[in-house]
Amino acid sequence: MAAAPLREQLSALLSSMFSQGLVDEQFEQLQMLQDEGGTPGFVAEVVTLFCDDAERIIAEIATLLEQPIVSFDKVDAFVHQLKGSSASVGAQKVKFTCMQFRQFCQEKSRDGCLMALAVVRNEFYDLRNKFQTMLQLEQQIQAYDPKQQ
Amino acid sequence: MEGRGREVVTRVLLVDDSPVDRRVVQLLLSNTCAGSFHVIAVDSAKKAMEFLGLKEEGKEQAIDMVLTDYCMPEMTGYELLKAIKARSPLKPIPVIVMSSENEPQRISRCLNAGAEDFIVKPLQSKDVQRLRNCSSATTQCKGKSDGKLLPSDHVVVDAAAVAESPPPSRRRAHFAGVAMVLHTSSVELSQYFPFLFKFILLVYAILCLGELLRRWSNGCFLSLWCA
C-alpha cells in the first residue's frame, strides 16, 4: 500500500521526462529490457554510468576550452563521445545540444563552444537531477516491496 | 561456437571506447537473447588486436564475431576491420561495425572492406537479430562440410564454389551494402514521396494539356476524339 503513491510519483516523473523531451524511445527500450529481461538495476546501472561519464567529459571539454590555444579536434572528439553515450541511454536533449556543439567545433569558434558547453552542462544537470530522483523513488519502492523488483 | 546441448553460444568481442555504450550493448545482448551471446568487451582496437592474437603468430582466436565501434582514438574500427580481414582471409571472423553517424560513404567503405554488416547506433533489440544472422551464416558455412560441428578456427572452403563465385562474405557484403544504401536512400526519400507523386502528376497533366492545345491549334480537335 505504501508503495502505491511512490509508484504514482515515479510514473508522473517519467511521463514528464518524456513529454519534456529529456528522454526518448531509447530510454523506453532500456526500461522494457529491464522489465522483460528480468534484469533489475539495468537502467540504474546504465544511468549511473552515463552520469559519471558525462561529468568527466564535460570537465575535459571545459579544460580544453580554457587553454590559450584550443584544440577543436579534441573538443569535437569529446563532444562526439558524449553525444554517442547520451544517444545510447536515450538522453535526447543532451544529444541534441551536443549536435549543436559540434557545429561550433567545426566552425572553430571558442565563444560558440563556450556557449554550447554551458547549454550542454545545464541540460545534463537537469537530466541528472531527474535521474537521481527516479533512482531514489525506485529504491524506496523496492524497500517497500522487494518482491516486485 | 560452443555448443551447450542444442543451444549455440556466440562469442562476441565488443570493441568500444565508450564505457556507457559497452555496457548497454553487453546488457542488450544478454537480455535480448539470454545465453546466446557471450560478450567480451575491450575499450580499444589495440586491445582487440592483442586479444585476437593479431600481433602474435600462432595464438588461438576464441571469438566468433567482432562488434566494433567505428570512431575510436588511436586506431579506428575501420582500421581494426581491415586488420582482421587481412590477417585471416581464409578463416574470416565476422566483423560488424557500429557508428552513431549514418553516412552512406562510411557504410559502403566498411562493407567494401569486408564488414558483414553496419549498424547505426544506438544498438536496439531489433539489431540483435542481425548479429545472429551474421553468426548463423558462419555456422551454416561450417555445418555444410560433413555435418559435424567444427571448432571456430576451422573453416571448410569449397574450391569449386570459390572459383565460380565470389566468397560468401563478399556476396553478403555486396547485398548488405546494397540493402544499407537502399535503406538509407529510402529513409531519406520517403519523406519526399508525396511531393514526388504530385510533381509527376502535374508534369503529366501539363503534357496532356500541351498536346490538347497543339492539336486544337492545328485544327485537329475533332480528330482528337476519333483517335
Side-chain angles (χ1 to χ4, degrees):
Chain A
M1 284 292 290
L6 290 173
R7 285 205 179 90
E8 287 176 8
Q9 204 173 339
L10 177 61
S11 178
L13 173 65
L14 290 172
S15 295
S16 73
M17 288 171 70
F18 279 105
S19 62
Q20 291 172 20
L22 289 175
V23 293
D24 58 18
E25 59 270 9
Q26 177 67 13
F27 183 74
E28 190 175 7
Q29 185 177 192
L30 296 182
Q31 287 183 308
M32 284 171 56
L33 280 173
Q34 174 177 272
D35 296 337
E36 295 172 4
T39 313
F42 174 91
V43 174
E45 181 182 354
V46 170
V47 160
T48 304
L49 204 56
F50 165 72
C51 289
D52 293 342
D53 192 48
E55 188 131 30
R56 174 190 64 84
I57 291 174
I58 289 173
E60 296 274 6
I61 293 172
T63 303
L64 285 171
L65 290 176
E66 287 171 0
Q67 303 302 315
I69 300 175
V70 176
S71 172
F72 289 100
D73 290 339
K74 288 184 181 177
V75 174
D76 183 66
F78 276 117
V79 177
H80 174 75
Q81 192 172 357
L82 179 59
K83 178 193 145 197
S85 57
S86 57
S88 293
V89 302
Q92 183 175 248
K93 262 194 177 178
V94 175
K95 180 184 74 175
F96 286 153
T97 55
C98 288
M99 290 165 69
Q100 294 165 355
F101 197 155
R102 293 196 74 189
Q103 290 182 350
F104 288 114
C105 293
Q106 287 163 11
E107 293 169 7
K108 300 192 187 303
S109 165
R110 181 203 283 262
D111 291 339
C113 286
L114 286 170
M115 186 177 62
L117 176 62
V119 174
V120 168
R121 190 185 269 126
N122 286 340
E123 293 296 343
F124 166 67
Y125 285 161
D126 185 26
L127 179 64
R128 188 179 62 176
N129 291 338
K130 296 280 190 340
F131 276 153
Q132 287 172 345
T133 305
M134 180 190 77
L135 296 180
Q136 286 170 3
L137 285 171
E138 285 181 348
Q139 287 174 358
Q140 290 171 9
I141 291 170
Q142 189 175 6
Y144 275 112
D145 195 357
K147 290 181 182 179
Q148 288 293 332
Q149 296 294 331
Chain B
M1 303 179 199
E2 298 172 8
R4 296 177 184 171
R6 286 191 165 187
E7 183 183 344
V8 177
V9 177
T10 302
R11 292 162 297 185
V12 180
L13 178 63
L14 172 61
V15 190
D16 200 319
D17 61 322
S18 166
V20 176
D21 291 356
R22 282 200 308 272
R23 197 67 187 121
V24 169
V25 172
Q26 276 181 307
L27 293 171
L28 192 67
L29 294 182
S30 304
N31 283 14
T32 305
C33 300
S36 297
F37 292 99
H38 173 63
V39 181
I40 301 131
V42 295
D43 61 4
S44 69
K46 182 181 173 185
K47 287 184 182 174
M49 290 186 66
E50 290 172 356
F51 187 89
L52 291 170
L54 295 179
K55 289 191 171 181
E56 293 180 28
E57 295 286 343
K59 256 198 167 183
E60 291 288 332
Q61 300 172 4
I63 288 296
D64 299 309
M65 181 166 52
V66 175
L67 180 59
T68 178
D69 185 26
Y70 185 93
C71 285
M72 289 185 291
E74 296 183 2
M75 185 177 181
T76 66
Y78 176 70
E79 291 163 345
L80 174 63
L81 162 68
K82 289 197 298 180
I84 292 173
K85 296 300 180 182
R87 173 68 175 170
S88 312
L90 294 181
K91 297 187 284 185
I93 300 175
V95 179
I96 298 173
V97 181
M98 302 183 290
S99 177
S100 56
E101 305 292 335
N102 188 7
E103 293 180 10
Q105 282 185 346
R106 179 177 292 187
I107 296 170
S108 59
R109 190 182 176 206
C110 290
L111 295 174
N112 288 336
E116 270 63 23
D117 205 345
F118 187 103
I119 297 177
V120 178
K121 282 179 162 183
L123 201 74
Q124 297 178 340
S125 300
K126 60 181 174 65
D127 297 320
V128 177
Q129 183 58 40
R130 293 162 71 176
L131 300 181
R132 300 187 73 184
N133 290 343
C134 290
S135 62
S136 298
T138 309
T139 305
Q140 287 172 3
C141 289
K142 295 175 189 173
K144 282 180 183 176
S145 59
D146 56 358
K148 294 180 184 177
L149 185 63
L150 297 175
S152 61
D153 57 348
H154 285 81
V155 175
V156 176
V157 178
D158 186 342
V162 169
E164 292 173 0
S165 64
S169 62
R170 286 194 176 271
R171 287 203 300 273
R172 281 200 304 276
H174 176 71
F175 290 137
V178 172
M180 286 297 299
V181 173
L182 283 176
H183 173 71
T184 306
S185 305
S186 66
V187 167
E188 294 171 355
L189 286 176
S190 61
Q191 57 185 326
Y192 298 111
F193 277 161
F195 302 103
L196 197 62
F197 184 67
K198 289 175 186 174
F199 179 74
I200 292 171
L201 274 179
L202 186 62
V203 169
Y204 181 72
I206 291 172
L207 288 174
C208 290
L209 191 61
E211 179 66 17
L212 282 171
L213 289 172
R214 186 183 69 80
R215 292 191 182 195
W216 192 23
S217 63
N218 288 340
C220 300
F221 190 73
L222 285 178
S223 65
L224 173 69
W225 296 104
C226 299

